[in-house]
Structure formats: C-alpha cells, structure tokens
Amino acid sequence: MFENTKKCDVQSRQYLLFQENTIPRTFIFSYLASTNLKSQNLKQFFQSHGAHHQWSCKGYSTIPYCLPTCWLQCHVDISDQILEFNMHGRVKTKTNAEDKEAKRKEKEKKLKLYQTGIEKAFTKRKTGEYDEESLAISAQLLTANPDITTLWNIRREVLLHFKDEGQRTEDDLQQQMQAELCLIEQCLRANPKSYAAWHHRRWVLDNMPIPIWKQELALCNKYLDLDERNLHCWDYRRFVVERSQVPAADEFEYTSKKILANFSNYSSWHYRSRLLPLIYPDPMGKLPIQERKHKEELEIVQNAAFTDPSDQSAWFYQRWLLGRTLQALRLAQVHVSYDTVCVSLTHSVSVICDKSKIRLELQLNGDNFPTTWKSTNGQQYSHVWISALPKELLSGDKTLAITVSLHSGSSLVHYMSLNSGKLKASTKPQFSAGFSEGITSVLQDELDSCTQLLDLEPDSKWTLLTSVLLMQAVDRHKYQEDTLARLSQLIQVDPHRSGYYKDLWSRYKMEYAFDQNNELDQNIDLSCLNLTALYHCHYLSCVHTLDLSNNNLSGHSLSQLHPLQCCQVLKLDSNNIANLHGMPALMSLQILSLRSNVINIPDEVKYLEPCICLSSVDLSDNPTEKDEMLQELVKTFLPSVKMLNTCPL
C-alpha cells in the first residue's frame, strides 16, 4: 500500500508523499479535519507541499497527497494496513473433472433435501400444525436461504400461536424471542442485506416482552463497521433509535464518526440531514437548520467535497444545505371573468379534501358566496383552482367588491381584493434563495473555492453543478451569464445527464423571464429560450397571450399548461411536439398555433376537444398537414373551429 511513497521535509516537518490512490482518502480527510484546514486553502496546500516531488500536477486527480509522518503514526497502523492489503492476490486453485462431478452430486443432494423441507413446512402450515417442529424446519431452511419471506411468515404464525394460546409464560416467550434474534443474526451472516431477515427482526422486537434495545444498537454498530453502505442496517438503526428513544444528538455524533472514517458514506450524510433539523431547528422555519450550525455544516462538507471532487456523497449533502428557503403558502394570482374565478397558489395543495386544513373562500360585497372548487389539472392537489360564477353576476353597471381568502384551519393566511373595474390581482414571484448576509458570505467563499478547483479540473461535473447552485444562492442576477455558461459546459462534460441540465437551464430561463415581466402582463413572450420543460406555470394563470415558439418542448410538457385558464392565444410553433395527449382543458383558448412540429397522426386533434372555445388551429408544416383525414377529424372533434392552417373550414 505504501510502496509509492517518499519522505520529504516541508518547513522542518516530516511528510509522506502518496501518489494518487495509494492511500485511502479517509486519511486525507481525517488530517484536514484534525488541522482545521479550510478548503479554500487546499489549492495552496497541495501546490506548496506537492512542489517537493517529481510527479506532474495537472489537477487534483494527479496531485499526490502529503501527510505528516507523525500524524500517520498516531492515526494509522501502517503494519496492519500492509498486512491487510497483502491478503489479496491469492492463486486460484484449479479443479479437475472428478471434483466438479462430486460438487454437482452434492449440490443435487442438498437441493432435494431443501425441496423436501419446503414441502413439509408448507404442509404443516396448511394443516394448522403450529409446533416446535415447524420452527425447527423453517430455521434449517432459512439458515441456507434467508430470503424466503413465506418461511418467516410461518415462524411469526407459530410464535403468535404460542402467545395467543397461552402455551408460553412471559419468561418463555422472552427466551423464545431471544432465540429468534440469534437465528436472524445467523441468517444475516449469510446475507447481511436480506430484506426479509431485517423485517422479521423488527417484528420480533415489537413482540418481545422486554426488548433489548441496547443490544440491538450495538448490533447495528457491528454491521455498519463491516459494511457502512448497508442501507438495510441503516434503516433498521433508525427503527431502533425511534423505539428506544435514543437522543438525536447521540446519533448525530455517530454520523460524524462514520463520516470522519469515510466521507464517501452517503448514508451517514443522509442520516445527518434528517437529524440536524431535530437538533438545530430554524426558529423562523425558513432555513433547514439554525444559521450558526448551517455555516459549520457548509464548511465541513466543503472540506469533504474538495478532498475528492469526483465523489458524489458530499456534493449531494451540500445541495441539501443549499436548498432554497421555503416560500410561504400564499395566493399568487386571482382572476375573475364573467363566469369563472381562477385562483393560483404558491404551493400545490388540496382545498377539496375533507381532512384538508386548507380552504378557499369567496366573498361578494362582504358576504360569503358558496363555491365549489375544481383543480385545473384534474388531481386532488394543484396550484390552480377554479370555480363557476353566475353569468349575470358581473353584468350591468353595479359595483361589486370581490375578496378571495386563503385559510389554514381557523387562521386567515392571505387574501386578495378585487372589484368590477379590477378583475385580477397578483403577487411578484420570489425565486431568490433568501439566505442571510452571514450565510451568503460563507457561500461566496465556497463559490470562490469552486472557481479555484475548476482552474485545476475544468471538467469536474460536481464542482460545475455546485458552482451553479452557489451562484443562484449568492446572487442569481449577478451570475446570470455565468450560470447559463456553466450549464452549457455541463451538457458537454456530462452528456449522459444532459436532459437534467437542459431542464435546469429551462427553469432558470423561465425564472429570469418572470423577473423581467410585470406580474399583471397579459402578453408573455417565452420564445427562443431553448426550453425543454416548463416551470412555475401557475404564475401564468392571468395571461391572455403566451408565446412558447422556437423552443425544444415535447408533448410531455403540454400537461404543465393547465394553469392557462385565461389564455386566449397560445403559440407553440417550432418545437418537438409529436402528440397532443397531455393537452389540458383550456376553457378560454381561441387560437392555437402548432406550426413546424412533428405531429404525424391526424387523430391527435381529438385531444383538443376539451378546449371548447377553439376557433383556429394551425398545424402547418407538420407531417399530418397533408393527411386527407385531418379536415374531417377537426370538423368531428372540434366543431367550434372555423380556421384550420390559416384557411377557412
């Protein structure tokens, strides 16, 4: 393990230099943590220490690691490590034909015995023979293969039979359950990731007269020391912690220990994100955790991420820390037409479920008006809700005061007021991260560190992606061009995930467009933005004309247009739309342009039938334009349409 090392003296201190991958990265991270080395100084650290060796330094992936020998002697048993690594490389023993035949016969013999045991266990269950023999048979079978769920079910039925029939005292049941735990542990040695075995262990603890939680926690420690990525054991550990009421602070300390041992432990980072809000909740309820702890975690994860930029575990945890503050539930837009009221919310909620605490109320001239709300996407949860109004309500010259209010339980959350002269109201969308100056300062330092790292490794995808998220968190308008440039670079560097980066591009592009438009604009132009997906469409519920031409939208994006209940003109020219399956019912839509798409089946027009006010449909420059059946199908399914492909029907 340590054969590619050299000793050197750096500022009168002894160091060992390790070429790439000759030392576990956990040693590097442990050293950084013990010296409190800031990640923004990593570049200087490696360059200053790496200058004393002969290897080339093109980036972090080729820079050798250097650690003080005195620190290694305190933290690493080198002889044990060498012994452990020398265990590999054993010569495979060849087998002759006689040995193979003997093994085959032995395997057949075991298979027959196994099948006989299975048949007997199932027969005894069918005849209701819940006895010790059933336990013995199933135990032998499960020791060989712990993944047969039915056998564990048989054991549960037998144990419950003993308990319900009063055949065992409480002490006997305790001993029986302890024996069951021993059997499960024996099975887990054969397969430490057996779903059925871990599930049965939960059942045993829940039905044990006196559960031994301390022993179970020690068992979890043992298995996670053997395999820190055993997600079944991590899940079982959370179960044990919940049942035994282990303090969250103790578990947080355990995650710190596991991360220090190996910062590539994704399960530890994830568990940490679950514990932090319990121990350090944000008093304002906006950030994931308290600001002081938020800063500390950002520095810890930065050291981990920058030690090995190619490892994704720490980067994912950092993305959780960089999550935007949760926007409060409020009314986003309200629009009243002559027969409909349309309400858009900042969150997707249910206002029709009996158990829902959220409700919408409509008042006319101060009096409650009975309404029945309907979601525009046809689902129980939606951003946009509509309700029918009597057509004569807004007729005439009488003044009408309209108030739409949002309630949570007995509390008024938000309301908007309109009148006969002003039939729509809106709030400005908020897309900023909303971090404090202190957090923003830390994020700026991290962004600077990312920039340094990209100077050394310009194609590091995790660093590029994190820098994009950091720029959005620090100042999204200041870094608008840099954000889009790095997303373009990511599409080239990581083509397998180009779809994700293109969708992220679409999200940011739409957010910047919303920032530039007035929230009450009736005409919105989102053309030529290279959009592949649609976001925040609930802020378009008051729009009359929407232009989405010259993008890269497909038919899958059409379902996201359901908030456009006031839209009269919709342009979707020059996209990649091949079908209209997801087209929502847009009750006000009159003109729909789908020029220069890839629709090749004329039957697709039947999906426009819910748009009952359509008067013009343009399918020019689509493969289906020349189909002889197109005109007849339009007349059949869209009787209100008078213009097809700019020509009268």
Coordinates of all heavy atoms in Angstrom, one line a residue, residues 132 135 155 159 162 167-184 204 207-212 215:
E132 N -43.2 -26.9 17.5 CA -41.8 -26.7 17.6 C -41.1 -27.3 16.3 O -40.1 -26.8 15.8 CB -41.2 -27.4 18.8 CG -41.6 -26.8 20.1 CD -40.8 -25.5 20.4 OE1 -40.0 -25.1 19.6 OE2 -41.2 -24.8 21.3
L135 N -40.9 -24.7 13.6 CA -39.9 -23.8 13.9 C -38.5 -24.4 13.5 O -37.7 -23.7 12.9 CB -39.8 -23.4 15.4 CG -41.0 -22.5 15.8 CD1 -40.9 -22.2 17.3 CD2 -41.1 -21.2 15.1
R155 N -43.0 -18.7 10.8 CA -42.4 -18.6 12.1 C -43.2 -17.6 12.9 O -43.5 -17.8 14.1 CB -40.9 -18.1 12.0 CG -40.0 -19.1 11.4 CD -38.6 -18.8 11.6 NE -38.1 -18.9 12.9 CZ -37.8 -20.0 13.5 NH1 -37.8 -21.2 12.8 NH2 -37.4 -20.1 14.8
L159 N -45.2 -18.4 16.5 CA -44.9 -17.7 17.7 C -46.1 -17.0 18.2 O -46.4 -16.9 19.4 CB -43.8 -16.6 17.4 CG -42.4 -17.2 17.1 CD1 -41.4 -16.1 16.7 CD2 -41.8 -18.0 18.3
F162 N -48.3 -19.6 19.9 CA -47.8 -19.9 21.3 C -48.3 -18.8 22.3 O -48.7 -19.1 23.4 CB -46.3 -20.0 21.3 CG -45.7 -21.2 20.6 CD1 -44.4 -21.2 20.3 CD2 -46.5 -22.3 20.3 CE1 -43.9 -22.3 19.6 CE2 -46.0 -23.4 19.7 CZ -44.7 -23.4 19.4
Q167 N -49.6 -20.9 25.6 CA -48.7 -22.1 25.8 C -47.4 -21.7 26.3 O -46.6 -22.6 26.6 CB -48.6 -22.8 24.4 CG -49.8 -23.3 23.8 CD -49.6 -24.0 22.5 OE1 -48.5 -24.4 22.2 NE2 -50.7 -24.2 21.8
R168 N -47.1 -20.4 26.4 CA -45.8 -20.0 26.9 C -46.0 -18.9 28.0 O -46.9 -18.1 27.9 CB -44.9 -19.4 25.8 CG -44.6 -20.4 24.7 CD -43.5 -21.4 25.1 NE -43.0 -22.2 24.0 CZ -43.6 -23.3 23.5 NH1 -44.8 -23.7 24.0 NH2 -43.1 -23.9 22.5
T169 N -45.2 -19.0 29.0 CA -45.2 -17.9 30.0 C -44.4 -16.7 29.4 O -43.8 -16.8 28.4 CB -44.5 -18.3 31.3 OG1 -43.1 -18.6 31.1 CG2 -45.2 -19.6 31.9
E170 N -44.4 -15.6 30.1 CA -43.7 -14.4 29.6 C -42.2 -14.7 29.5 O -41.6 -14.2 28.6 CB -44.1 -13.2 30.5 CG -43.5 -11.9 29.9 CD -44.0 -10.7 30.7 OE1 -45.2 -10.5 30.7 OE2 -43.2 -9.9 31.2
D171 N -41.7 -15.4 30.5 CA -40.3 -15.7 30.5 C -39.9 -16.6 29.4 O -38.9 -16.5 28.7 CB -39.9 -16.3 31.8 CG -39.9 -15.4 33.0 OD1 -39.9 -14.1 32.7 OD2 -40.0 -15.8 34.2
D172 N -40.8 -17.6 29.1 CA -40.6 -18.5 28.0 C -40.6 -17.7 26.7 O -39.8 -18.0 25.8 CB -41.7 -19.6 28.0 CG -41.5 -20.5 29.1 OD1 -40.4 -20.6 29.7 OD2 -42.5 -21.2 29.5
L173 N -41.6 -16.8 26.5 CA -41.6 -16.0 25.3 C -40.4 -15.1 25.1 O -39.9 -15.0 24.0 CB -42.9 -15.1 25.3 CG -44.2 -15.8 25.0 CD1 -45.4 -14.8 25.2 CD2 -44.2 -16.3 23.6
Q174 N -39.9 -14.6 26.3 CA -38.7 -13.8 26.2 C -37.5 -14.6 25.7 O -36.8 -14.2 24.8 CB -38.4 -13.2 27.6 CG -37.1 -12.3 27.6 CD -37.3 -11.0 27.0 OE1 -38.5 -10.6 26.7 NE2 -36.3 -10.3 26.7
Q175 N -37.4 -15.8 26.2 CA -36.3 -16.7 25.7 C -36.5 -17.1 24.3 O -35.6 -17.2 23.5 CB -36.2 -17.9 26.6 CG -35.8 -17.6 28.1 CD -35.7 -18.9 28.9 OE1 -35.9 -20.0 28.4 NE2 -35.4 -18.7 30.2
Q176 N -37.8 -17.4 23.9 CA -38.1 -17.8 22.5 C -37.7 -16.6 21.6 O -37.1 -16.9 20.5 CB -39.6 -18.1 22.4 CG -40.0 -18.6 21.1 CD -39.7 -20.1 20.9 OE1 -40.2 -20.9 21.7 NE2 -38.9 -20.5 20.0
M177 N -38.0 -15.4 21.9 CA -37.7 -14.3 21.1 C -36.2 -14.0 21.0 O -35.7 -13.6 20.0 CB -38.4 -13.0 21.6 CG -40.0 -13.1 21.4 SD -40.5 -13.3 19.7 CE -42.3 -13.2 19.9
Q178 N -35.5 -14.2 22.1 CA -34.1 -14.1 22.1 C -33.4 -15.1 21.2 O -32.5 -14.9 20.4 CB -33.5 -14.2 23.5 CG -33.8 -13.0 24.4 CD -33.2 -13.1 25.8 OE1 -32.9 -14.3 26.2 NE2 -33.0 -12.0 26.4
A179 N -34.0 -16.4 21.2 CA -33.5 -17.4 20.3 C -33.8 -17.0 18.8 O -33.0 -17.3 17.9 CB -34.2 -18.7 20.6
E180 N -34.9 -16.3 18.6 CA -35.3 -15.9 17.3 C -34.3 -14.8 16.8 O -33.9 -14.8 15.6 CB -36.7 -15.3 17.3 CG -37.3 -15.2 15.9 CD -37.8 -16.6 15.4 OE1 -37.7 -17.6 16.1 OE2 -38.2 -16.6 14.2
L181 N -33.8 -13.9 17.7 CA -32.8 -12.9 17.3 C -31.5 -13.6 16.9 O -30.8 -13.2 16.0 CB -32.6 -12.0 18.5 CG -33.8 -11.0 18.8 CD1 -33.5 -10.2 20.0 CD2 -34.2 -10.1 17.6
C182 N -31.2 -14.7 17.7 CA -29.9 -15.4 17.3 C -30.0 -16.0 16.0 O -29.0 -16.0 15.2 CB -29.7 -16.4 18.4 SG -29.2 -15.8 20.0
L183 N -31.2 -16.6 15.7 CA -31.4 -17.2 14.3 C -31.3 -16.1 13.2 O -30.6 -16.4 12.2 CB -32.8 -17.9 14.3 CG -33.2 -18.3 12.9 CD1 -32.3 -19.5 12.4 CD2 -34.6 -18.8 12.9
I184 N -31.9 -15.0 13.5 CA -31.8 -13.9 12.4 C -30.4 -13.5 12.2 O -29.9 -13.3 11.1 CB -32.7 -12.7 12.9 CG1 -34.2 -13.2 13.0 CG2 -32.6 -11.6 11.9 CD1 -35.1 -12.1 13.6
V204 N -39.9 -9.1 15.7 CA -39.5 -9.8 16.9 C -39.4 -8.7 18.1 O -39.9 -8.9 19.2 CB -38.2 -10.6 16.8 CG1 -37.7 -11.0 18.1 CG2 -38.4 -11.8 15.8
N207 N -42.7 -7.5 19.3 CA -43.5 -8.5 20.0 C -42.7 -9.1 21.2 O -43.3 -10.0 21.9 CB -43.9 -9.6 19.1 CG -45.0 -9.1 18.1 OD1 -46.2 -9.2 18.4 ND2 -44.5 -8.6 16.9
M208 N -41.6 -8.6 21.5 CA -40.8 -9.2 22.6 C -41.3 -8.6 23.9 O -41.5 -7.3 24.0 CB -39.3 -8.8 22.4 CG -38.3 -9.7 23.1 SD -36.6 -9.2 22.5 CE -35.7 -10.5 23.3
P209 N -41.5 -9.4 25.0 CA -41.9 -8.8 26.2 C -41.0 -7.7 26.8 O -41.5 -6.7 27.2 CB -41.9 -10.0 27.2 CG -42.1 -11.2 26.3 CD -41.4 -10.9 25.0
I210 N -39.7 -7.9 26.7 CA -38.7 -6.9 27.2 C -37.7 -6.7 26.1 O -36.7 -7.5 26.0 CB -38.1 -7.3 28.5 CG1 -39.1 -7.7 29.6 CG2 -37.1 -6.2 29.0 CD1 -38.5 -8.2 30.8
P211 N -37.9 -5.8 25.2 CA -36.9 -5.6 24.1 C -35.6 -5.2 24.6 O -35.5 -4.4 25.5 CB -37.6 -4.5 23.2 CG -39.0 -4.4 23.6 CD -39.0 -4.9 25.1
I212 N -34.5 -5.7 23.9 CA -33.2 -5.4 24.4 C -32.6 -4.4 23.4 O -31.8 -4.7 22.5 CB -32.3 -6.7 24.4 CG1 -33.0 -7.8 25.1 CG2 -31.0 -6.4 25.1 CD1 -32.3 -9.2 25.0
Q215 N -28.7 -3.8 23.1 CA -28.0 -4.9 22.3 C -28.2 -4.7 20.8 O -27.3 -4.9 20.0 CB -28.6 -6.2 22.7 CG -28.1 -7.4 21.9 CD -28.7 -8.7 22.4 OE1 -28.7 -9.1 23.6 NE2 -29.4 -9.4 21.5

